Structures are given as structure tokens and as C-alpha cells.
Coordinates of all heavy atoms in Angstrom, one line a residue:
F1 N 0.8 -1.2 0.0 CA 0.0 0.0 0.0 C 0.9 1.2 0.0 O 0.6 2.2 -0.7 CB -0.9 0.0 1.2 CG -2.0 1.0 1.2 CD1 -3.2 0.7 0.4 CD2 -1.9 2.2 1.8 CE1 -4.2 1.7 0.4 CE2 -2.9 3.1 1.7 CZ -4.0 2.9 1.0
R2 N 2.0 1.2 0.8 CA 2.8 2.3 0.9 C 3.4 2.7 -0.5 O 3.4 3.9 -0.9 CB 4.0 2.0 1.8 CG 5.0 3.1 1.9 CD 6.2 2.8 2.7 NE 5.7 2.9 4.1 CZ 6.6 2.9 5.1 NH1 7.8 2.7 4.9 NH2 6.1 3.0 6.3
H3 N 3.9 1.7 -1.2 CA 4.5 2.0 -2.5 C 3.6 2.5 -3.6 O 3.9 3.3 -4.4 CB 5.3 0.8 -3.0 CG 6.4 0.4 -2.0 ND1 7.5 1.1 -1.8 CD2 6.5 -0.7 -1.2 CE1 8.2 0.5 -0.9 NE2 7.6 -0.6 -0.5
F4 N 2.3 2.0 -3.6 CA 1.4 2.4 -4.6 C 0.7 3.7 -4.3 O 0.3 4.4 -5.2 CB 0.3 1.3 -4.8 CG 0.9 0.0 -5.4 CD1 1.0 -1.1 -4.6 CD2 1.5 0.0 -6.6 CE1 1.5 -2.3 -5.1 CE2 2.0 -1.2 -7.2 CZ 2.0 -2.3 -6.4
C5 N 0.5 4.0 -3.0 CA -0.3 5.2 -2.6 C 0.5 6.4 -2.1 O 0.0 7.4 -1.8 CB -1.3 4.8 -1.6 SG -2.6 3.7 -2.3
M6 N 1.8 6.2 -2.0 CA 2.6 7.3 -1.5 C 2.6 8.5 -2.4 O 2.4 9.6 -1.9 CB 4.1 6.8 -1.4 CG 5.0 7.8 -0.7 SD 4.7 7.9 1.1 CE 5.7 6.6 1.7
P7 N 2.6 8.4 -3.7 CA 2.5 9.6 -4.6 C 1.1 10.3 -4.4 O 1.0 11.5 -4.3 CB 2.6 9.1 -6.0 CG 3.4 7.8 -5.9 CD 3.0 7.2 -4.6
R8 N 0.1 9.5 -4.2 CA -1.3 10.1 -4.0 C -1.3 10.8 -2.6 O -1.9 11.9 -2.5 CB -2.3 9.0 -4.0 CG -3.7 9.4 -3.6 CD -4.5 9.9 -4.7 NE -5.8 10.1 -4.3 CZ -6.6 11.1 -4.7 NH1 -6.1 11.9 -5.5 NH2 -7.8 11.2 -4.2
G9 N -0.6 10.3 -1.6 CA -0.5 10.9 -0.3 C 0.2 12.2 -0.4 O -0.2 13.2 0.2
H10 N 1.3 12.3 -1.1 CA 2.0 13.5 -1.3 C 1.2 14.6 -2.0 O 1.2 15.8 -1.6 CB 3.3 13.3 -2.0 CG 4.3 12.6 -1.2 ND1 4.8 12.9 0.0 CD2 5.0 11.4 -1.5 CE1 5.7 12.1 0.5 NE2 5.8 11.1 -0.4
K11 N 0.5 14.2 -3.0 CA -0.4 15.1 -3.7 C -1.5 15.6 -2.8 O -1.8 16.8 -2.8 CB -1.0 14.4 -5.0 CG -1.9 15.3 -5.8 CD -2.5 14.6 -6.9 CE -3.5 15.5 -7.6 NZ -4.3 14.8 -8.6
L12 N -2.1 14.7 -2.0 CA -3.1 15.1 -1.1 C -2.6 16.1 0.0 O -3.3 17.0 0.4 CB -3.7 13.9 -0.4 CG -5.1 14.0 0.2 CD1 -6.1 14.5 -0.7 CD2 -5.5 12.6 0.8
E13 N -1.4 15.9 0.4 CA -0.8 16.8 1.4 C -0.6 18.2 0.8 O -0.8 19.2 1.5 CB 0.6 16.3 1.8 CG 0.6 15.2 2.8 CD 1.9 14.9 3.3 OE1 2.6 15.8 3.8 OE2 2.3 13.7 3.2
R14 N -0.3 18.3 -0.5 CA -0.2 19.6 -1.2 C -1.6 20.3 -1.4 O -1.6 21.5 -1.4 CB 0.5 19.5 -2.5 CG 2.0 19.2 -2.3 CD 2.7 19.3 -3.7 NE 2.1 18.5 -4.7 CZ 2.5 17.2 -5.0 NH1 3.4 16.6 -4.2 NH2 1.9 16.5 -6.0
T15 N -2.6 19.5 -1.5 CA -3.9 20.1 -1.9 C -4.9 20.2 -0.7 O -5.8 21.0 -0.7 CB -4.6 19.3 -3.0 OG1 -4.8 17.9 -2.6 CG2 -3.8 19.3 -4.3
S16 N -4.7 19.4 0.3 CA -5.6 19.4 1.5 C -4.9 19.8 2.8 O -4.0 19.0 3.2 CB -6.3 18.0 1.6 OG -7.0 17.9 2.8
I17 N -5.3 20.9 3.3 CA -4.6 21.3 4.6 C -4.9 20.4 5.7 O -4.1 20.2 6.6 CB -5.1 22.8 4.9 CG1 -4.2 23.3 6.1 CG2 -6.5 22.9 5.3 CD1 -2.8 23.7 5.7
K18 N -6.1 19.8 5.7 CA -6.5 18.9 6.8 C -5.6 17.6 6.8 O -5.1 17.2 7.8 CB -8.0 18.4 6.7 CG -8.9 19.5 7.0 CD -10.3 19.0 6.9 CE -11.3 20.2 7.2 NZ -12.7 19.7 7.1
Y19 N -5.4 17.1 5.6 CA -4.6 15.9 5.5 C -3.1 16.2 5.7 O -2.4 15.4 6.4 CB -4.7 15.2 4.1 CG -3.9 13.9 4.0 CD1 -4.5 12.8 4.5 CD2 -2.7 13.9 3.4 CE1 -3.8 11.6 4.4 CE2 -2.0 12.7 3.3 CZ -2.5 11.5 3.8 OH -1.8 10.4 3.8
A20 N -2.7 17.4 5.3 CA -1.3 17.8 5.6 C -1.0 18.0 7.1 O 0.0 17.5 7.5 CB -1.0 19.1 4.8
C21 N -2.0 18.5 7.8 CA -1.8 18.7 9.2 C -1.8 17.3 9.9 O -1.0 17.0 10.8 CB -2.9 19.5 9.8 SG -2.8 21.2 9.4
L22 N -2.7 16.4 9.5 CA -2.7 15.1 10.0 C -1.4 14.3 9.8 O -0.9 13.7 10.7 CB -3.9 14.3 9.5 CG -4.1 12.9 9.9 CD1 -4.4 12.9 11.4 CD2 -5.2 12.2 9.2
A23 N -0.9 14.4 8.6 CA 0.3 13.8 8.2 C 1.5 14.3 9.0 O 2.4 13.6 9.5 CB 0.6 13.9 6.7
H24 N 1.5 15.6 9.2 CA 2.6 16.3 10.0 C 2.5 15.8 11.5 O 3.6 15.5 12.0 CB 2.4 17.8 9.9 CG 3.4 18.5 10.7 ND1 4.7 18.6 10.3 CD2 3.3 19.2 11.9 CE1 5.4 19.3 11.3 NE2 4.6 19.6 12.2
V25 N 1.3 15.7 12.1 CA 1.2 15.3 13.4 C 1.7 13.8 13.6 O 2.4 13.4 14.5 CB -0.2 15.5 13.9 CG1 -0.5 14.7 15.2 CG2 -0.6 16.9 14.1
V26 N 1.3 13.0 12.6 CA 1.7 11.6 12.7 C 3.2 11.4 12.6 O 3.8 10.6 13.3 CB 0.9 10.8 11.6 CG1 1.5 9.4 11.4 CG2 -0.5 10.7 11.9
R27 N 3.8 12.2 11.7 CA 5.3 12.1 11.5 C 6.0 12.6 12.7 O 7.0 12.0 13.1 CB 5.7 12.9 10.3 CG 5.4 12.2 9.0 CD 6.1 13.0 7.8 NE 5.5 12.5 6.6 CZ 4.7 13.1 5.8 NH1 4.3 14.4 6.2 NH2 4.2 12.6 4.7
Q28 N 5.5 13.7 13.4 CA 6.2 14.2 14.5 C 6.0 13.4 15.8 O 6.9 13.3 16.6 CB 5.7 15.7 14.8 CG 6.1 16.6 13.7 CD 7.6 16.8 13.5 OE1 8.3 16.8 14.5 NE2 8.0 16.7 12.2
G29 N 4.8 12.8 15.9 CA 4.5 12.1 17.2 C 4.9 10.7 17.2 O 5.1 10.1 18.2
D30 N 5.1 10.1 16.0 CA 5.6 8.7 15.8 C 4.8 7.7 16.7 O 3.6 7.6 16.5 CB 7.1 8.6 16.1 CG 7.7 7.4 15.4 OD1 7.2 7.0 14.4 OD2 8.7 6.9 16.0
F31 N 5.4 7.0 17.6 CA 4.7 5.9 18.3 C 3.6 6.4 19.1 O 2.5 5.8 19.2 CB 5.7 5.1 19.2 CG 5.1 4.1 20.0 CD1 4.6 2.9 19.5 CD2 5.0 4.3 21.4 CE1 4.0 2.0 20.3 CE2 4.3 3.4 22.2 CZ 3.8 2.2 21.6
K32 N 3.8 7.5 19.8 CA 2.7 8.0 20.8 C 1.4 8.3 20.0 O 0.3 7.9 20.4 CB 3.2 9.2 21.5 CG 2.3 9.6 22.6 CD 2.7 10.8 23.5 CE 3.9 11.6 23.0 NZ 4.1 12.7 23.9
I33 N 1.6 9.0 18.9 CA 0.4 9.4 18.1 C -0.2 8.1 17.4 O -1.4 8.0 17.4 CB 0.8 10.4 17.0 CG1 1.2 11.7 17.7 CG2 -0.4 10.6 16.0 CD1 0.1 12.4 18.5
V34 N 0.6 7.2 17.0 CA 0.1 6.0 16.4 C -0.7 5.2 17.4 O -1.8 4.7 17.1 CB 1.2 5.1 15.8 CG1 0.7 3.7 15.4 CG2 1.9 5.8 14.7
L35 N -0.2 5.1 18.6 CA -1.0 4.4 19.7 C -2.3 5.1 20.0 O -3.3 4.5 20.2 CB -0.1 4.2 20.9 CG -0.7 3.4 22.1 CD1 -1.0 2.0 21.6 CD2 0.2 3.5 23.3
I36 N -2.2 6.4 20.1 CA -3.4 7.2 20.5 C -4.5 7.0 19.4 O -5.7 6.8 19.6 CB -3.1 8.7 20.7 CG1 -2.3 8.8 22.0 CG2 -4.4 9.5 20.7 CD1 -1.7 10.2 22.2
M37 N -4.0 7.0 18.1 CA -5.0 6.9 17.0 C -5.5 5.5 16.9 O -6.7 5.3 16.5 CB -4.3 7.3 15.7 CG -4.1 8.8 15.6 SD -3.4 9.3 14.0 CE -4.7 9.1 12.9
R38 N -4.8 4.5 17.3 CA -5.3 3.1 17.3 C -6.3 2.9 18.4 O -7.2 2.1 18.2 CB -4.1 2.1 17.5 CG -3.1 2.0 16.4 CD -3.6 1.4 15.2 NE -3.9 0.0 15.5 CZ -4.2 -0.9 14.5 NH1 -4.3 -0.5 13.3 NH2 -4.6 -2.1 14.8
F39 N -6.2 3.6 19.5 CA -7.2 3.6 20.5 C -8.4 4.5 20.3 O -9.4 4.4 21.0 CB -6.6 3.9 21.9 CG -6.0 2.7 22.6 CD1 -4.6 2.6 22.8 CD2 -6.8 1.6 22.9 CE1 -4.0 1.5 23.4 CE2 -6.2 0.5 23.5 CZ -4.8 0.4 23.8
S40 N -8.3 5.4 19.4 CA -9.4 6.4 19.1 C -10.6 5.7 18.4 O -10.6 4.6 18.1 CB -8.9 7.6 18.3 OG -8.6 7.2 17.0
A41 N -11.6 6.6 18.1 CA -12.8 6.1 17.4 C -12.6 6.0 15.9 O -13.5 5.6 15.2 CB -13.9 7.0 17.8
I42 N -11.4 6.5 15.5 CA -11.1 6.4 14.0 C -11.0 5.0 13.6 O -10.3 4.2 14.3 CB -9.9 7.2 13.7 CG1 -10.0 8.7 14.2 CG2 -9.6 7.2 12.2 CD1 -8.7 9.4 14.1
P43 N -11.7 4.5 12.6 CA -11.6 3.1 12.2 C -10.1 2.7 11.9 O -9.4 3.5 11.3 CB -12.4 3.1 10.9 CG -13.3 4.2 11.0 CD -12.6 5.3 11.7
S44 N -9.7 1.5 12.3 CA -8.3 1.1 12.2 C -7.9 1.0 10.7 O -6.8 1.2 10.4 CB -8.1 -0.2 12.9 OG -8.9 -1.2 12.4
H45 N -8.8 0.6 9.8 CA -8.5 0.5 8.4 C -8.1 1.9 7.8 O -7.3 2.0 6.9 CB -9.6 -0.2 7.6 CG -10.8 0.5 7.5 ND1 -11.8 0.5 8.5 CD2 -11.4 1.4 6.6 CE1 -12.8 1.2 8.2 NE2 -12.6 1.8 7.0
F46 N -8.7 2.9 8.3 CA -8.4 4.3 7.8 C -7.1 4.7 8.4 O -6.2 5.3 7.6 CB -9.5 5.2 8.3 CG -9.3 6.6 7.8 CD1 -9.4 7.0 6.5 CD2 -9.0 7.6 8.8 CE1 -9.2 8.3 6.1 CE2 -8.8 8.9 8.4 CZ -8.9 9.3 7.0
T47 N -6.8 4.5 9.7 CA -5.5 4.9 10.2 C -4.4 4.1 9.6 O -3.3 4.7 9.4 CB -5.5 4.7 11.8 OG1 -5.8 3.4 12.1 CG2 -6.5 5.6 12.4
T48 N -4.6 2.8 9.3 CA -3.5 2.1 8.7 C -3.1 2.7 7.3 O -1.9 2.8 7.0 CB -4.0 0.6 8.5 OG1 -4.3 0.1 9.8 CG2 -2.9 -0.2 7.9
A49 N -4.1 3.1 6.6 CA -3.8 3.7 5.3 C -3.0 5.0 5.5 O -2.1 5.3 4.8 CB -5.0 4.0 4.5
I50 N -3.4 5.8 6.5 CA -2.7 7.1 6.8 C -1.3 6.8 7.2 O -0.4 7.5 6.8 CB -3.5 7.9 7.8 CG1 -4.8 8.4 7.3 CG2 -2.7 9.0 8.4 CD1 -5.7 9.1 8.3
F51 N -1.1 5.8 8.1 CA 0.2 5.5 8.6 C 1.1 5.1 7.5 O 2.3 5.5 7.4 CB 0.2 4.4 9.7 CG -0.6 4.8 10.9 CD1 -1.2 3.8 11.7 CD2 -0.7 6.1 11.3 CE1 -1.9 4.2 12.8 CE2 -1.4 6.5 12.4 CZ -2.0 5.5 13.2
S52 N 0.6 4.3 6.5 CA 1.5 3.8 5.5 C 1.9 5.0 4.5 O 3.0 5.0 4.1 CB 0.8 2.7 4.7 OG -0.3 3.2 4.0
T53 N 1.0 5.9 4.2 CA 1.3 7.0 3.3 C 2.1 8.1 4.0 O 2.8 8.9 3.3 CB 0.1 7.6 2.7 OG1 -0.8 8.1 3.7 CG2 -0.7 6.6 1.8
C54 N 2.1 8.1 5.3 CA 2.9 9.1 6.1 C 4.3 8.7 6.4 O 5.1 9.4 6.9 CB 2.1 9.5 7.4 SG 0.7 10.5 7.1
G55 N 4.5 7.4 6.1 CA 5.9 6.9 6.4 C 6.2 6.4 7.8 O 7.3 6.5 8.2
V56 N 5.1 6.0 8.5 CA 5.4 5.4 9.8 C 6.1 4.1 9.7 O 5.8 3.3 8.9 CB 4.0 5.2 10.6 CG1 4.2 4.4 11.9 CG2 3.3 6.5 10.8
R57 N 7.2 4.0 10.5 CA 8.0 2.8 10.5 C 7.2 1.6 11.0 O 6.2 1.7 11.7 CB 9.3 3.0 11.3 CG 10.2 4.0 10.7 CD 11.3 4.4 11.6 NE 10.8 5.1 12.7 CZ 11.1 4.9 14.0 NH1 12.0 3.9 14.3 NH2 10.6 5.5 15.0
I58 N 7.7 0.4 10.6 CA 6.9 -0.9 10.9 C 7.0 -1.2 12.4 O 6.0 -1.7 12.9 CB 7.5 -2.0 10.0 CG1 6.5 -3.2 10.1 CG2 8.9 -2.4 10.4 CD1 5.3 -3.1 9.4
V59 N 8.1 -0.9 13.1 CA 8.2 -1.3 14.5 C 7.2 -0.5 15.4 O 6.4 -1.1 16.1 CB 9.6 -1.1 15.0 CG1 9.7 -1.3 16.5 CG2 10.5 -2.1 14.3
P60 N 7.1 0.8 15.3 CA 6.1 1.5 16.1 C 4.7 1.1 15.7 O 3.8 1.0 16.6 CB 6.3 3.0 15.7 CG 7.7 3.1 15.2 CD 8.0 1.8 14.6
F61 N 4.4 0.9 14.4 CA 3.1 0.5 14.0 C 2.7 -0.9 14.6 O 1.6 -1.1 15.1 CB 3.0 0.4 12.5 CG 1.7 -0.2 12.0 CD1 0.6 0.6 12.0 CD2 1.6 -1.5 11.6 CE1 -0.7 0.1 11.6 CE2 0.4 -2.0 11.2 CZ -0.7 -1.2 11.2
C62 N 3.6 -1.9 14.6 CA 3.4 -3.2 15.1 C 3.2 -3.1 16.6 O 2.3 -3.8 17.2 CB 4.5 -4.2 14.7 SG 4.4 -4.6 13.0
L63 N 4.0 -2.4 17.3 CA 3.9 -2.2 18.8 C 2.5 -1.6 19.1 O 1.8 -2.1 20.1 CB 5.0 -1.4 19.4 CG 6.4 -2.1 19.5 CD1 7.4 -1.0 19.9 CD2 6.3 -3.2 20.4
A64 N 2.1 -0.6 18.4 CA 0.8 0.0 18.7 C -0.3 -0.9 18.4 O -1.3 -1.0 19.1 CB 0.7 1.3 17.9
A65 N -0.2 -1.7 17.3 CA -1.2 -2.6 16.9 C -1.3 -3.7 18.0 O -2.5 -4.1 18.4 CB -0.9 -3.3 15.6
I66 N -0.2 -4.2 18.5 CA -0.3 -5.2 19.6 C -0.9 -4.6 20.9 O -1.7 -5.3 21.5 CB 1.1 -5.8 19.8 CG1 1.6 -6.6 18.6 CG2 1.2 -6.6 21.1 CD1 3.0 -7.0 18.6
L67 N -0.5 -3.4 21.2 CA -1.0 -2.8 22.5 C -2.5 -2.5 22.4 O -3.2 -2.5 23.4 CB -0.2 -1.6 22.8 CG 1.2 -1.8 23.3 CD1 2.0 -0.5 23.5 CD2 1.2 -2.7 24.6
S68 N -3.0 -2.2 21.2 CA -4.4 -1.9 21.0 C -5.2 -3.1 20.6 O -6.4 -2.9 20.4 CB -4.5 -0.8 19.9 OG -4.2 -1.3 18.6
L69 N -4.6 -4.3 20.7 CA -5.4 -5.5 20.3 C -6.6 -5.7 21.3 O -7.6 -6.2 20.8 CB -4.4 -6.7 20.4 CG -5.0 -8.0 19.8 CD1 -5.4 -7.8 18.3 CD2 -3.9 -9.0 19.9
P70 N -6.5 -5.4 22.6 CA -7.7 -5.6 23.4 C -8.9 -4.8 23.0 O -10.0 -5.3 23.1 CB -7.2 -5.2 24.8 CG -5.7 -5.4 24.8 CD -5.3 -5.1 23.4
K71 N -8.7 -3.7 22.4 CA -9.8 -2.9 21.9 C -10.5 -3.7 20.8 O -11.8 -3.7 20.7 CB -9.3 -1.5 21.4 CG -10.4 -0.7 20.7 CD -9.9 0.5 20.0 CE -10.9 1.1 19.1 NZ -10.4 2.0 18.1
Q72 N -9.8 -4.3 19.9 CA -10.3 -5.0 18.8 C -11.0 -6.3 19.3 O -12.1 -6.7 18.8 CB -9.2 -5.4 17.8 CG -8.5 -4.2 17.2 CD -9.3 -3.3 16.4 OE1 -10.3 -3.8 15.7 NE2 -9.0 -2.0 16.4
L73 N -10.4 -7.0 20.3 CA -10.9 -8.2 20.8 C -12.3 -8.0 21.5 O -13.2 -8.8 21.5 CB -9.9 -8.9 21.7 CG -8.7 -9.4 21.0 CD1 -7.7 -10.0 22.1 CD2 -9.0 -10.4 20.0
I74 N -12.4 -6.8 22.2 CA -13.6 -6.5 22.9 C -14.8 -6.4 21.9 O -15.9 -6.9 22.1 CB -13.5 -5.2 23.8 CG1 -12.6 -5.6 25.0 CG2 -14.8 -4.7 24.2 CD1 -12.2 -4.3 25.8
A75 N -14.5 -5.7 20.8 CA -15.5 -5.5 19.8 C -15.9 -6.8 19.2 O -17.1 -7.1 19.0 CB -15.0 -4.6 18.7
V76 N -15.0 -7.7 18.9 CA -15.3 -9.0 18.4 C -16.1 -9.9 19.4 O -17.1 -10.5 19.0 CB -14.0 -9.8 18.0 CG1 -14.3 -11.2 17.6 CG2 -13.3 -9.1 16.8
Y77 N -15.7 -9.8 20.7 CA -16.4 -10.6 21.7 C -17.9 -10.1 21.8 O -18.8 -10.9 21.9 CB -15.7 -10.4 23.0 CG -16.4 -11.1 24.2 CD1 -16.4 -12.5 24.3 CD2 -17.1 -10.4 25.1 CE1 -17.1 -13.1 25.3 CE2 -17.8 -11.0 26.1 CZ -17.8 -12.3 26.2 OH -18.5 -13.0 27.2
L78 N -18.0 -8.8 21.9 CA -19.4 -8.2 22.0 C -20.2 -8.6 20.8 O -21.4 -9.0 20.9 CB -19.4 -6.7 22.1 CG -18.9 -6.2 23.5 CD1 -18.8 -4.7 23.5 CD2 -19.9 -6.7 24.6
G79 N -19.6 -8.6 19.6 CA -20.4 -8.9 18.4 C -20.8 -10.4 18.4 O -21.9 -10.7 18.0
T80 N -19.9 -11.3 18.8 CA -20.3 -12.7 18.8 C -21.3 -13.0 19.9 O -22.2 -13.8 19.7 CB -19.1 -13.6 19.0 OG1 -18.4 -13.2 20.2 CG2 -18.1 -13.5 17.8
T81 N -21.2 -12.3 21.0 CA -22.1 -12.5 22.1 C -23.5 -12.0 21.7 O -24.5 -12.7 21.9 CB -21.6 -11.8 23.4 OG1 -20.3 -12.3 23.7 CG2 -22.6 -12.1 24.6
L82 N -23.6 -10.9 21.2 CA -24.9 -10.3 20.8 C -25.5 -11.1 19.6 O -26.7 -11.3 19.5 CB -24.7 -8.8 20.4 CG -24.4 -7.9 21.5 CD1 -24.2 -6.5 21.0 CD2 -25.5 -7.9 22.6
G83 N -24.6 -11.6 18.7 CA -25.1 -12.5 17.6 C -25.6 -13.8 18.1 O -26.6 -14.3 17.6
S84 N -25.0 -14.4 19.1 CA -25.5 -15.6 19.7 C -26.8 -15.4 20.5 O -27.6 -16.3 20.5 CB -24.5 -16.3 20.5 OG -24.2 -15.6 21.7
L85 N -27.0 -14.3 21.1 CA -28.2 -14.0 21.8 C -29.4 -13.9 20.8 O -30.5 -14.2 21.1 CB -28.1 -12.7 22.6 CG -27.2 -12.8 23.8 CD1 -27.1 -11.4 24.4 CD2 -27.8 -13.8 24.8
G86 N -29.1 -13.4 19.6 CA -30.1 -13.2 18.6 C -30.6 -14.6 18.0 O -31.7 -14.7 17.5
D87 N -29.7 -15.6 18.0 CA -30.0 -16.9 17.5 C -30.9 -17.7 18.4 O -31.6 -18.6 17.9 CB -28.7 -17.7 17.3 CG -27.8 -17.1 16.1 OD1 -28.4 -16.3 15.3 OD2 -26.6 -17.3 16.1
E88 N -30.9 -17.4 19.6 CA -31.8 -18.2 20.6 C -33.2 -17.8 20.6 O -33.7 -16.9 20.2 CB -31.2 -18.0 22.0 CG -29.8 -18.6 22.1 CD -29.2 -18.4 23.5 OE1 -29.9 -17.8 24.4 OE2 -28.1 -18.8 23.7

């Protein structure tokens, strides 16, 4: 994703002030911002795309993904529990 969408990300940074500010914050904050964004209400598939086009390194991304795994597991657990309640 990084190699195919990086030119599009650079173009978007030049044309959109909102994306440029977001990219700047992600680059400056590195691991701390990545972790905060993984725990936020922003969908993880959206943040992953932003991280790849902003040039976040793989180690901070993987650490943040591992640390934010309980958030994902809670959503899956609630979904399966509510789904099984509907089957009864």
C-alpha cells in the first residue's frame, strides 16, 4: 500500500490542509500518536492507510497494533455474544 499510494498521499498533502496537518502530526508524534490513534474512534483500516502513506515505520506500528489489540478483541467478543443472543 505504501509504494502504490505514496504519490497520492504527497499530492493530497499539497492540496488538502487537513490531510497535511494530520500527516505532520503523525510524523512528529511517531509511536505515541500511532498508539493514540489506534485507541481512538477512528476506524483502524483508515488509520492504517494514513500511517502507510505518512511513512510510519513498521516497528512503532506493530507495537501500537499489539498494544491496541484488546480494543479489537472486545468489539469481536461483543459482536459474537450479541449475535448468539439473537440466534436463541
Side-chain angles (χ1 to χ4, degrees):
F1 193 82
R2 173 183 285 190
H3 300 291
F4 293 114
C5 294
M6 189 74 87
R8 172 91 172 140
H10 289 307
K11 180 182 175 189
L12 198 56
E13 281 186 58
R14 289 190 304 271
T15 58
S16 172
I17 189 74
K18 290 180 183 181
Y19 186 80
C21 290
L22 180 63
H24 178 74
V25 167
V26 168
R27 284 189 193 108
Q28 295 299 316
D30 203 31
F31 173 72
K32 187 176 15 173
I33 295 298
V34 172
L35 184 62
I36 289 169
M37 288 180 73
R38 295 287 296 185
F39 275 115
S40 72
I42 303 170
S44 59
H45 63 278
F46 181 70
T47 58
T48 301
I50 290 173
F51 297 152
S52 67
T53 58
C54 290
V56 172
R57 293 171 290 132
I58 191 73
V59 173
F61 175 78
C62 286
L63 285 174
I66 290 168
L67 290 175
S68 67
L69 192 59
K71 176 189 168 199
Q72 303 295 327
L73 293 176
I74 289 170
V76 171
Y77 176 74
L78 287 174
T80 56
T81 303
L82 292 175
S84 67
L85 290 176
D87 291 340
E88 294 176 2

